Amino acid sequence: MSAMPDGTAREALIDVGAIAANTRRFARVTETEVLAVVKADAYGHGAVRAARAAIDGGATRLGTADINEALELRRAGIMAPILSWLHAPGASFAEAAAAHVALGISSMDQLQAAAAAATADRPTRIHLKLETGLSRNGIAPEDWNHVVAEAARWERLGKVAIEGIFSHVSNTSIADDQQALDRFNEGVAIAASLGVHPEIRHLAATSAALALPAARLDAVRIGVGLYGLSPFDDRTSAELGLRPAMTLRAAVANVRRVPAGTGLSYGYTHRTTRETTLALVPLGYADGIPRSSSNRGTVAIAGKTFTVSGRVAMDQFIVDVGDHPVSTGDEVIVFGDPTLGVPSAEDWAEASDTINYEIVTRIGPRVTRRSVSS
């Protein structure tokens, strides 16, 4: 791993080679199109770099939650098909339609707004979202006939182009996800009876793409797996053939020797039991380090693992390294690829009572992202 650049307190190394390799892995395993989900700044990895890496790995489509996220990709020159599916009430779709961003449609109001955004020579691209049991956005089953029939009418008039029909599963159990798939297939059948025959049907995200092959359909939406993280509690990234793409690290900002009984950080939730060395790490909850990981999270310094000592503060936390030789400027790896002997995002999730998705996505803007490729 490269040394920390001079003057850099904290950074996240983003392995674009790993993102490309993970994309290829899902394409091979699922034998279908991969829609790479790059919402939320690509789960903290950087949307533009992640989108390009995923396309290099064979992704044929991209997915964002917000239209603004999709437009950022267009401004960066990325012209692959993009789907955006979560819209503010009353949002105008004109800019998205002009940029050839497909819109997820979850209501009659959104359908009408999409039709209104069309021009004489450019229908608005849409994917109809069906509610199949997650109780979030999506066209309610009792409205499927009405909304889909109206979408078919607008398509005949050249106002919309129905590219896809999609939904999501809960990842509660195989039985629950199978039930969602069955409901989805019912909705697709209703759409077909109304003359709607989209290019792609998509239901599965990372978990269902791996655990429920029948849900792969025409495309899979890969989010957390794209970044080399496992969606399962009982299977690691390595066991799934994935490589974590983010390594979060910092440079030791200060080292001090203290006597036994020294209180550390706010509230003195940790006091030293003997004379020891303290290393100050310039990362805190403003940078996405969970405060709930205080006295629980682990880091690697010079090949050895240590536990956070005391409360995580806004900008920094302390590590009690005992008599281990540590100097100002030494590299501290917070998490990365555990096959390299460092803590993982899963380790931090466990220490913080959350999930690995949140650990990487919450990394803040003060942390410099730098692309590498392995």
Side-chain angles (χ1 to χ4, degrees):
M1 189 174 295
S2 60
M4 293 279 291
D6 289 342
T8 299
R10 60 191 80 83
E11 69 174 358
L13 299 179
I14 309 300
D15 189 342
V16 293
I19 294 174
N22 294 333
T23 306
R24 285 191 292 271
R25 173 70 175 166
F26 278 97
R28 286 195 302 269
V29 169
T30 65
E31 298 182 323
T32 190
E33 281 195 60
V34 172
L35 186 156
V37 179
V38 293
K39 65 180 181 178
D41 201 31
Y43 293 43
H45 292 69
V48 171
R49 72 164 57 85
R52 288 175 173 155
I55 291 168
D56 287 345
T60 55
R61 299 173 188 265
L62 303 170
T64 67
D66 293 346
I67 289 172
N68 285 339
E69 295 175 321
L71 295 177
E72 176 191 356
L73 301 178
R74 288 287 186 253
R75 287 190 291 269
I78 295 172
M79 300 312 297
I82 303 174
L83 171 64
S84 181
W85 53 74
L86 187 60
H87 314 302
S92 169
F93 293 153
E95 191 173 4
H100 302 289
V101 172
L103 302 166
I105 299 299
S106 292
S107 67
M108 182 65 80
D109 287 346
Q110 291 179 0
L111 176 62
Q112 291 170 342
T119 62
D121 61 347
R122 188 206 63 231
T124 303
R125 304 177 184 187
I126 66 171
H127 291 223
L128 298 172
K129 172 73 182 292
L130 305 181
E131 158 56 19
T132 58
L134 202 53
S135 303
R136 304 194 308 190
N137 62 338
I139 305 164
E142 60 268 25
D143 295 329
W144 286 354
N145 278 280
H146 180 48
V147 176
V148 175
E150 185 68 359
R153 186 178 75 85
W154 283 122
E155 186 168 52
R156 290 192 298 271
L157 292 173
K159 293 294 187 180
V160 302
I162 305 172
E163 288 188 347
I165 296 181
F166 73 115
S167 190
H168 208 331
V169 297
S170 67
N171 301 330
T172 302
S173 68
I174 294 297
D176 284 295
D177 290 352
Q178 181 63 55
Q179 186 176 54
L181 173 59
D182 293 341
R183 290 173 181 164
F184 181 72
N185 287 333
E186 291 172 12
V188 171
I190 289 171
S193 73
L194 294 168
V196 173
H197 302 281
E199 296 174 22
I200 65 168
R201 303 156 301 149
H202 50 109
L203 179 72
T206 299
S207 178
L210 294 171
L212 187 62
R216 292 169 183 169
L217 304 174
D218 303 313
V220 291
R221 299 187 307 270
I222 305 303
V224 74
L226 197 74
Y227 310 107
L229 302 180
S230 172
F232 305 116
D233 293 332
D234 59 350
R235 280 181 280 175
T236 67
S237 298
E239 288 169 340
L240 297 175
L242 304 175
R243 289 159 43 197
M246 181 186 290
T247 298
L248 178 65
R249 64 182 189 165
V252 172
N254 190 39
V255 175
R256 69 176 65 243
R257 193 77 176 170
V258 299
T262 300
L264 309 187
S265 194
Y266 296 120
Y268 289 176
T269 61
H270 179 93
R271 294 178 186 267
T272 60
T273 58
R274 60 186 178 86
E275 182 180 349
T276 191
T277 299
L278 306 179
L280 184 66
V281 182
L283 284 163
Y285 56 77
D287 306 299
I289 302 299
R291 189 172 182 269
S292 57
S293 66
S294 299
N295 294 302
R296 298 170 67 189
T298 56
V299 302
I301 306 176
K304 188 171 181 180
T305 300
F306 300 96
T307 301
V308 173
S309 304
R311 283 208 180 120
V312 173
M314 184 178 291
D315 312 300
Q316 55 203 286
F317 63 82
I318 297 169
V319 178
D320 182 341
V321 300
D323 296 323
H324 196 66
V326 175
S327 301
T328 299
D330 283 355
E331 177 190 62
V332 180
I333 298 179
V334 179
F335 62 78
D337 185 345
T339 65
L340 302 179
V342 300
S344 66
E346 288 79 12
D347 292 331
W348 276 83
E350 183 176 355
S352 309
D353 299 317
T354 186
I355 56 176
N356 53 9
Y357 299 65
E358 183 180 351
I359 294 299
V360 292
T361 303
R362 69 186 293 160
I363 300 304
R366 293 196 306 193
V367 178
T368 303
R369 272 70 165 176
R370 183 156 62 92
S371 296
V372 296
S373 186
S374 63

